[in-house]
Amino acid sequence: MSEEANVQGPVMIAAFEGWNDACQAATNVVRYLVKRYESREIRHIDCDGFYDYQVARPMLCHVSGRANLVWPQTTFYDITLDARRHLYAQIAPEPNYRWMEYCSQSLHIAEELDAAQVVTMGAMFSDCPHTRPLPVALSDGTHQCECDREYNGPVGIPTVLDMAAADRGFSHASMWVSIPQYLGSDDCAAGTMRLLDALGKRIGFTFDTTELKRKAEQWKAQASVLVRCNDQLGEYVEHLERDYDLKCKADEEAGLGTPQCEQLVREAEAFLRQMGE
């Protein structure tokens, strides 16, 4: 898929906490945009009927000496990027029940807002090195990334919402960033920044990621310290780096369009699949 799509009209992005959100990289896209740009809450979806409160528990907080319960909910924001452009953002814990009804309500709100496109975002743990740009998989209604073409298995609410958007006639896309699985579950600013870069290319806008760049460098430095302290982990990361570089080289040569290069890509992909088995 070409990352630089000509998107006319406002876009609604959606990210969900939980299984679909390794290191909070996807939902932190929404949080970062809300913090960095002028934004306001414009819609909500009532939590009743969609959540198991033993899984997504309400939170107790004290404000001005009074105790308040904060229930899980879906919030929609209107985010002003500049004088001519804004986007909508949906953020929520992944619902536990009635996904199709939930998606229907979400898309009804997108229709009310006259959104031109729905873009779902997710983050997944994967075998990739922290020393290279984190892989981003992008798919839309006409182009699917390789992982989408070959994957068979369980999915989360972003995939269901994306498919529901397609059925409802929306222009739609999904973006997933891979996070090194050996680094645990701390926030990953590098993953958030990669999703923002991909979104910016798609809508033709350059986001201010100055704060994220600093945090991403800190994340990378901390990961490198961890790797240096563990010889076995260091060997594993070197293996991931070789695989990553081989795949990048094959993709680059395939861009020349020769049959030999296409064969090289197939051989490289087959090799990587064997290494993962």
Side-chain angles (χ1 to χ4, degrees):
M1 180 186 77
S2 171
E3 295 183 18
E4 299 188 20
N6 183 20
V7 180
Q8 300 295 328
V11 172
M12 189 180 85
I13 64 174
F16 300 89
E17 300 169 358
W19 188 70
N20 321 275
D21 192 27
C23 294
Q24 300 79 54
T27 51
N28 278 346
V29 168
V30 177
R31 296 186 185 98
Y32 184 82
L33 292 175
V34 168
K35 178 182 177 182
R36 173 62 185 80
Y37 297 94
E38 180 182 348
S39 62
R40 59 191 180 94
E41 295 184 20
I42 54 173
R43 296 284 196 284
H44 297 92
I45 293 179
D46 184 31
C47 56
D48 287 343
F50 292 120
Y51 290 102
D52 177 348
Y53 295 134
Q54 290 182 321
V55 177
R57 292 182 180 272
M59 302 293 292
L60 179 66
C61 65
H62 288 81
V63 179
S64 300
R66 294 187 59 184
N68 295 277
L69 285 174
V70 179
W71 296 86
Q73 71 173 358
T74 301
T75 303
F76 293 81
Y77 291 94
D78 185 348
I79 302 171
T80 301
L81 302 179
D82 58 28
R84 299 180 302 163
R85 188 186 302 245
H86 69 112
L87 59 79
Y88 301 114
Q90 174 182 5
I91 184 172
E94 181 177 51
N96 304 107
Y97 307 119
R98 300 166 56 207
W99 280 13
M100 295 309 297
E101 171 62 23
Y102 179 87
C103 290
S104 178
Q105 289 194 29
S106 298
L107 295 174
H108 178 69
I109 291 174
E111 290 173 342
E112 288 183 340
L113 298 173
D114 199 25
Q117 182 174 178
V118 175
V119 177
T120 58
M121 294 186 168
M124 57 187 172
F125 288 114
S126 181
D127 292 324
C128 59
H130 72 279
T131 53
R132 302 291 189 269
L134 299 181
V136 176
L138 302 103
S139 298
D140 64 14
T142 57
H143 298 83
Q144 285 189 314
C145 63
E146 178 188 348
C147 58
D148 281 349
R149 291 195 301 268
E150 298 183 356
Y151 178 74
N152 294 286
V155 297
I157 194 68
T159 301
V160 177
L161 180 60
D162 181 66
M163 296 182 70
D167 292 341
R168 201 136 165 177
F170 278 93
S171 174
H172 62 101
S174 64
M175 300 179 178
W176 287 79
V177 65
S178 294
I179 308 293
Q181 54 83 18
Y182 56 86
L183 291 181
S185 59
D186 290 339
D187 283 6
C188 179
T192 298
M193 191 165 66
R194 288 285 286 161
L195 285 173
L196 274 172
D197 288 343
L199 177 63
K201 289 178 181 178
R202 184 164 188 88
I203 68 175
F205 184 83
T206 301
F207 293 104
D208 179 0
T209 57
T210 303
E211 181 181 346
L212 282 176
K213 289 177 181 177
R214 177 179 56 81
K215 292 182 178 180
E217 288 301 319
Q218 293 176 344
W219 171 84
K220 184 177 179 180
Q222 292 170 351
S224 295
V225 170
L226 177 65
V227 170
R228 286 197 298 269
C229 294
N230 187 318
D231 291 340
Q232 185 176 4
L233 181 57
E235 292 177 0
Y236 173 63
V237 172
E238 289 179 359
H239 165 74
L240 294 179
E241 291 172 336
R242 289 192 296 270
D243 289 350
Y244 187 103
D245 293 342
L246 175 62
K247 180 70 163 55
C248 288
K249 182 178 179 180
D251 288 343
E252 180 181 352
E253 294 180 351
L256 301 176
T258 64
Q260 293 87 348
C261 290
E262 293 174 357
Q263 177 62 28
L264 179 59
V265 171
R266 288 193 291 270
E267 292 175 357
E269 291 174 344
F271 170 76
L272 295 177
R273 283 195 295 269
Q274 288 178 343
M275 295 298 293
E277 293 177 353

